[in-house]
Amino acid sequence: VKKQAQLSTIIDNKLEKERHENLRIVKILLLGGADAGKSTILKQMRILHMNGFDATEMRSFNRHLRFNVFQIFHQVALGVQEFIAASEEAEKLLINQFAEGVSWFKGIDDEAENDCLLTFTELKCVDSFMKMHPNYSSLPDNSEYYVPKLGELLVKDYVPTADDILHLRIPTTAVTEINFSFATSTIRLIDVGGQRTYRKKWIHCFDGVSAVLFVASMAAYDQARTTIYDNISSDDHRRMSAKPKVRQKAPSAHNSIAQRQNRLRESAHLFSEMIRCKPLRSASFILFLNKKDLFGKKLPVHPLGKHIAGYSKTIMAYNSKRTMWYEL
C-alpha cells in the first residue's frame, strides 16, 4: 500500500509539473495565403532565437536557389514576349525556351545551365524590359536580390548565406514547427502550407492555439492568385514533366488580374474565414502586413484603383518612414 501511495504521488507530481510547463507554452499558428512570407518569418525566428542552419543545410539550399532564379527568368521571359520585341533570332530562341517552362532544362549539365542563365541576363531585350517594367506584377519578390548576384550564386559549391536563405522561396508542402524560448515562455511556432491544396490540413493544427499570426502581403494587390508554380515544389526542378509545354502568348497583366482572383482579396477572404472558424474562437489574432518596402515601390507605378475594384483614390506618393499616404 505504501509503494502504491508513493507511485501515485510521483505520478501526481509529474502531471502537475507537466501542467505548469504547458502553461508556459505559447502555441502560435502561422496562417496566410501563398507567397505572403510565412516561411520567411519562421526562418528569421530560427536564426534569431535558435542556432540557425548548419553547414549541411546551407549547402542543400543550392538547388532551391537555382530553381528560384529560373522562376524569375521564366516570368521575365513572359514579360519580354508581352512588351518587348526581341530583334535577334538567338535572343528569340532563348526567350521562348525560358517562357515555355522547365522541361527543356531536363538532361543538361550544370555548366550548360549556368551558361544559359548568364546569357539570359545579357540579352538586350531582357535589359530593356527590366528598365521599362521593374515592378512587373508577376515578377517574384526576390528578383531584386538574386539577379544582381547571379554570378556569385552559380559558383560551384557555393554556400548560401543567411540573407540568401531568407530571400529564398520554397513553397511549404507540409506542417513545419519550431520551438524556442522567449522571456519566460516557450514559443511553439507552426507554419502550414499557404497553397490551396494544403489548407484542408490546417484543421489538425488548431487544437490549443494561443494566437494566430496571419500574414498578408501588402505588395500582392496587383498580383493574381494562380501562377504555374503555385503548387510546384522546387524539388521538381529536374524531374518535371518531360513533355514540353505548348508555348502560348502571354496574357496582358490587366486581363490576367481580371480573370483570376486578386491575391490581396484572397488574403482578406481567408482572414475572414479564419476569424469565424470555431476551433480558433478562443485564440488571439495578429494581422501581420508584410512586404511594406515592395508596396511602397509599387504604389507610384501601379495605383491601387487599377487593381482593387471600388477603390477610387489615386495614390501618387508614399512615405515609408512615417507610414503615411499622400494624395496629390
Side-chain angles (χ1 to χ4, degrees), residues 292-322:
K292 188 183 74 172
D293 54 338
L294 296 174
F295 177 66
K297 291 179 181 179
K298 284 185 175 183
L299 272 181
V301 184
H302 302 285
L304 286 174
K306 290 185 177 180
H307 303 278
I308 304 295
Y311 188 89
S312 58
K313 294 183 180 179
T314 301
I315 297 174
M316 303 299 292
Y318 174 71
N319 187 329
S320 60
K321 291 183 179 179
R322 298 183 64 184

Side-chain angles (χ1 to χ4, degrees), residues 32 38 171-175 191-196 198-199 202:
K38 302 183 301 299
T172 305
T173 57
V175 176
D191 178 27
V192 294
Q195 289 76 19
R196 287 193 169 196
Y198 301 107
R199 290 178 189 171
W202 289 0

Side-chain angles (χ1 to χ4, degrees), residues 56-105:
T56 302
E57 288 176 305
M58 288 289 211
R59 293 189 183 91
S60 71
F61 285 119
N62 262 326
R63 70 179 188 277
H64 299 296
L65 280 173
R66 285 179 174 269
F67 188 72
N68 273 217
V69 171
F70 181 84
Q71 285 179 294
I72 294 167
F73 288 175
H74 171 75
Q75 294 299 332
V76 171
L78 292 178
V80 169
Q81 286 185 336
E82 182 180 356
F83 296 106
I84 308 294
S87 57
E88 301 177 10
E89 286 300 320
E91 287 193 357
K92 291 180 181 178
L93 177 61
L94 195 56
I95 290 296
N96 290 338
Q97 284 180 318
F98 273 95
E100 283 178 355
V102 301
S103 59
W104 69 280
F105 267 101

Side-chain angles (χ1 to χ4, degrees), residues 36-325:
K38 302 183 301 299
S39 297
T40 301
I41 292 175
L42 195 79
K43 288 184 286 188
Q44 288 175 322
M45 293 300 103
R46 183 170 174 179
I47 292 171
L48 291 172
H49 299 287
M50 300 174 69
N51 296 322
F53 304 92
D54 57 35
T56 302
E57 288 176 305
M58 288 289 211
R59 293 189 183 91
S60 71
F61 285 119
N62 262 326
R63 70 179 188 277
H64 299 296
L65 280 173
R66 285 179 174 269
F67 188 72
N68 273 217
V69 171
F70 181 84
Q71 285 179 294
I72 294 167
F73 288 175
H74 171 75
Q75 294 299 332
V76 171
L78 292 178
V80 169
Q81 286 185 336
E82 182 180 356
F83 296 106
I84 308 294
S87 57
E88 301 177 10
E89 286 300 320
E91 287 193 357
K92 291 180 181 178
L93 177 61
L94 195 56
I95 290 296
N96 290 338
Q97 284 180 318
F98 273 95
E100 283 178 355
V102 301
S103 59
W104 69 280
F105 267 101
K106 192 178 179 67
I108 69 173
D109 56 31
D110 288 343
E111 185 176 352
E113 185 176 308
N114 290 351
D115 289 339
C116 289
L117 293 171
L118 292 172
T119 301
F120 184 83
T121 61
E122 298 172 356
L123 299 182
K124 294 180 181 178
C125 57
V126 170
D127 182 61
S128 298
F129 171 77
M130 295 301 291
K131 288 179 180 178
M132 293 174 60
H133 304 278
N135 296 304
Y136 184 57
S137 61
S138 297
L139 204 60
D141 297 333
N142 53 11
S143 60
E144 290 186 2
Y145 178 82
Y146 286 132
V147 174
K149 61 180 302 185
L150 178 62
E152 182 183 349
L153 297 176
L154 296 180
V155 172
K156 186 178 180 181
D157 297 326
Y158 174 75
V159 179
T161 64
D163 283 340
D164 293 338
I165 294 172
L166 287 177
H167 285 86
L168 197 61
R169 187 195 173 202
I170 306 175
T172 305
T173 57
V175 176
T176 306
E177 177 183 335
I178 61 171
N179 295 273
F180 58 91
S181 297
F182 182 77
T184 59
S185 300
T186 298
I187 306 297
R188 185 182 174 193
L189 190 61
I190 303 171
D191 178 27
V192 294
Q195 289 76 19
R196 287 193 169 196
T197 52
Y198 301 107
R199 290 178 189 171
K200 60 185 178 181
K201 300 178 181 179
W202 289 0
I203 194 67
H204 302 295
C205 305
F206 288 167
D207 184 44
V209 172
S210 305
V212 173
L213 181 60
F214 191 94
V215 185
S217 171
M218 296 175 68
Y221 71 92
D222 64 341
Q223 297 174 349
R225 177 181 61 81
T226 56
T227 68
I228 65 168
Y229 293 107
D230 269 354
N231 296 310
I232 294 177
S233 166
S234 54
D235 291 334
D236 295 330
H237 183 189
R238 295 247 181 218
R239 56 182 178 81
M240 290 182 69
S241 173
K243 295 181 179 180
K245 296 182 181 293
V246 177
R247 191 188 320 141
Q248 297 178 349
K249 185 178 180 181
S252 68
H254 295 294
N255 290 339
S256 175
I257 298 295
Q259 293 173 2
R260 294 174 293 173
Q261 187 171 2
N262 179 278
R263 279 189 183 271
L264 190 58
R265 285 200 176 278
E266 185 194 23
S267 290
H269 177 71
L270 181 61
F271 183 68
S272 178
E273 284 186 346
M274 293 301 100
I275 285 180
R276 295 195 302 266
C277 183
K278 289 184 179 180
L280 294 176
R281 284 184 176 176
S282 61
S284 300
F285 269 79
I286 305 166
L287 177 59
F288 189 98
L289 298 177
N290 202 14
K291 304 185 181 181
K292 188 183 74 172
D293 54 338
L294 296 174
F295 177 66
K297 291 179 181 179
K298 284 185 175 183
L299 272 181
V301 184
H302 302 285
L304 286 174
K306 290 185 177 180
H307 303 278
I308 304 295
Y311 188 89
S312 58
K313 294 183 180 179
T314 301
I315 297 174
M316 303 299 292
Y318 174 71
N319 187 329
S320 60
K321 291 183 179 179
R322 298 183 64 184
T323 318
M324 293 177 65
W325 291 273

Side-chain angles (χ1 to χ4, degrees), residues 2-19:
K2 289 182 179 180
K3 288 182 178 180
Q4 289 180 349
Q6 290 174 351
L7 182 60
S8 178
T9 301
I10 292 173
I11 294 174
D12 289 341
N13 291 337
K14 186 176 180 181
L15 291 174
E16 184 66 17
K17 183 180 178 181
E18 289 179 354
R19 188 181 71 82

